[in-house]
Amino acid sequence: MKAPDLARLGAAIATVALQLHPIKASAADYPVPQEGSFVLRDFHFQSGETLPELRLHYRTVGAPGGEPVVVLHGTTGSGASMLTPSFAGELFGPGQPLDARRYYIILPDSIGHGKSSKPSDGLRARFPRYSYGDMVEAQHRLVTEHLGVKHVRLVIGYSMGGMETWLWAARQPGFMDLAVPMASLPVAMSGRNWMMRRLIIDSIRGDPEWMNGNYAKQPKSAQFASVFYVLATSGGNQALYKAAPSRAVADKVVDDRLAAPFTADANDTLYQWDSSRDYDPSAGLERIQATVLVINSADDERNPPELGVLDREIKRVKNGRVLLIPGSPDTAGHGTTVQAKWWKKELGELLQSSPHASR
């Protein structure tokens, strides 16, 4: 392999390593996150199923007396996955837009994710078939019933968290001043985004090793389908070409991702992607009272701007606008907006200029 290819290979491997194993921002930059769990008794899911006890884990950054902010993570992630240098490290420190000396930052683990209740806890495929609506209901109860918060300054979320932010804004219109959904659209799950999710779900269910969820060892399909999905729908065309401009380098990136430790559980993975099946906040867009800043990227493979969906739907939001980050070799497609450097200036200005609702 030529020297330039070796250099590019090293950069590509480093990028992959960061994506698979995000580094937490230094605790010196903001207060050490505090962790806790809230148990919701006899939780009723939209599917009609119930759980006697639903555990919702969470983290908080900053003192409870600060202005409350809710931060929502993406699919397969957790509140901890937002504590990276590229997100928390750009936002939570002194003088930054969400300075934890001023704000009380709440990061829930959504149902089925992180340390919250999920199929791998023991119920496996008998776990209730949860949805994004269930996630938002549980998050709202965590914030209000357990943490005692009556109103929040901001709800902000990435990818799945962005879709949850749309649901929060539509279902709890007076509960927040500001809503910032990122890497998402306010319409029903459809198109390539749902097609690719279906392929993950069907790959796992069709694997003989899955055994209707009662497997003795993790089905290999879960990792393969997950790697396939991420490469197909995130990373950015320009950025991936920059990282792997030859077949040899591209093969190395794929080989490394497939060889990397895959610690996820197949049932958890299946449920996580399936939970988006009935997502659709569109009926409630006119009810939104919060100021809405939608942050998407022009190279987002899952939410391509050329569909015209966002341009059409944002007109239905009373006080909404869109920030579209241009695609480049330095952006990351669907993963662009989880890097706060691209939009933290606009968020800071929004927090400074938008009035606080009367309590």
Side-chain angles (χ1 to χ4, degrees):
M1 191 179 293
K2 296 179 181 178
D5 276 353
L6 285 170
R8 292 189 189 101
L9 176 58
I13 292 172
T15 299
V16 171
L18 285 174
Q19 290 173 341
L20 292 173
H21 305 288
I23 301 170
K24 291 186 179 180
S26 168
D29 297 331
Y30 52 82
V32 175
Q34 303 299 304
E35 296 192 44
S37 289
F38 173 46
V39 176
L40 295 86
R41 310 287 178 185
D42 193 29
F43 188 85
H44 290 252
F45 293 82
Q46 291 180 354
S47 64
E49 299 166 279
T50 62
L51 268 184
E53 293 186 349
L54 174 70
R55 182 183 66 259
L56 209 66
H57 194 78
Y58 65 93
R59 292 161 185 81
T60 61
V61 179
E67 288 191 80
V69 169
V70 177
V71 176
L72 303 172
H73 63 80
T75 308
T76 76
S78 66
S81 67
M82 306 303 284
L83 297 174
T84 59
S86 62
F87 189 85
E90 298 277 352
L91 297 174
F92 298 172
Q96 294 177 332
L98 294 176
D99 187 334
R101 297 173 301 179
R102 174 177 178 179
Y103 294 99
Y104 178 50
I105 305 161
I106 304 164
L107 304 103
D109 289 356
S110 286
I111 297 172
H113 294 71
K115 297 179 183 179
S116 291
S117 294
K118 52 189 178 293
S120 62
D121 291 341
L123 287 178
R124 296 190 167 198
R126 292 180 291 111
F127 193 87
R129 196 179 178 208
Y130 61 83
S131 68
Y132 283 9
D134 296 317
M135 293 179 179
V136 169
E137 170 67 17
Q139 291 161 357
H140 183 257
R141 289 183 60 184
L142 163 71
V143 172
T144 56
E145 296 176 21
H146 184 64
L147 298 178
V149 173
K150 305 304 181 188
H151 185 92
V152 301
R153 177 63 172 155
L154 166 70
V155 177
I156 181 171
Y158 161 70
S159 192
M160 178 182 78
M163 290 184 272
E164 291 171 347
T165 300
W166 281 113
L167 290 173
W168 267 83
R171 295 184 177 192
Q172 304 290 339
F175 191 71
M176 70 212 72
D177 296 332
L178 308 170
V180 179
M182 304 186 296
S184 61
L185 293 174
V187 293
M189 182 60 61
S190 59
R192 176 194 290 143
N193 200 354
W194 176 247
M195 293 174 188
M196 296 297 297
R197 292 164 191 251
R198 258 287 310 275
L199 290 173
I200 296 178
I201 297 163
D202 290 358
S203 293
I204 296 173
R205 285 183 175 151
D207 189 332
E209 294 182 338
W210 183 59
M211 300 173 62
N212 294 318
N214 297 310
Y215 41 82
K217 62 178 181 178
Q218 291 293 330
K220 296 184 181 66
S221 56
Q223 179 174 20
F224 187 88
S226 298
V227 170
F228 193 108
Y229 179 79
V230 171
L231 282 171
T233 67
S234 190
N237 292 337
Q238 296 182 68
L240 286 174
Y241 181 75
K242 178 182 177 182
S246 73
R247 183 184 61 78
V249 180
D251 280 345
K252 181 63 175 170
V253 171
V254 172
D255 291 343
D256 285 348
R257 291 201 183 193
L258 290 173
F262 187 75
T263 58
D265 176 81
N267 282 330
D268 290 348
T269 300
L270 188 160
Y271 271 72
Q272 287 162 356
W273 293 111
D274 179 65
S275 63
S276 64
R277 65 192 175 277
D278 59 357
Y279 165 75
D280 185 2
S282 60
L285 296 184
E286 282 84 4
R287 291 198 296 268
I288 295 175
Q289 297 176 20
T291 296
V292 176
L293 173 62
V294 185
I295 306 177
N296 278 9
S297 55
D299 57 350
D300 188 332
E301 301 90 343
R302 300 180 200 177
N303 306 290
E306 60 265 28
L307 297 178
V309 169
L310 191 53
D311 292 337
R312 180 187 73 226
E313 299 299 318
I314 195 63
K315 295 173 184 175
R316 299 172 55 200
V317 180
K318 293 193 224 30
N319 192 10
R321 65 184 179 91
V322 176
L323 171 63
L324 189 66
I325 302 164
S328 77
D330 297 317
T331 55
H334 184 70
T336 298
T337 55
V338 81
Q339 301 174 37
K341 67 180 181 180
W342 300 112
W343 46 263
K344 66 179 182 179
K345 176 177 176 290
E346 287 79 4
L347 177 64
E349 291 171 350
L350 183 67
L351 288 162
Q352 290 296 320
S353 63
S354 296
H356 291 69
S358 358
R359 306 293 193 269

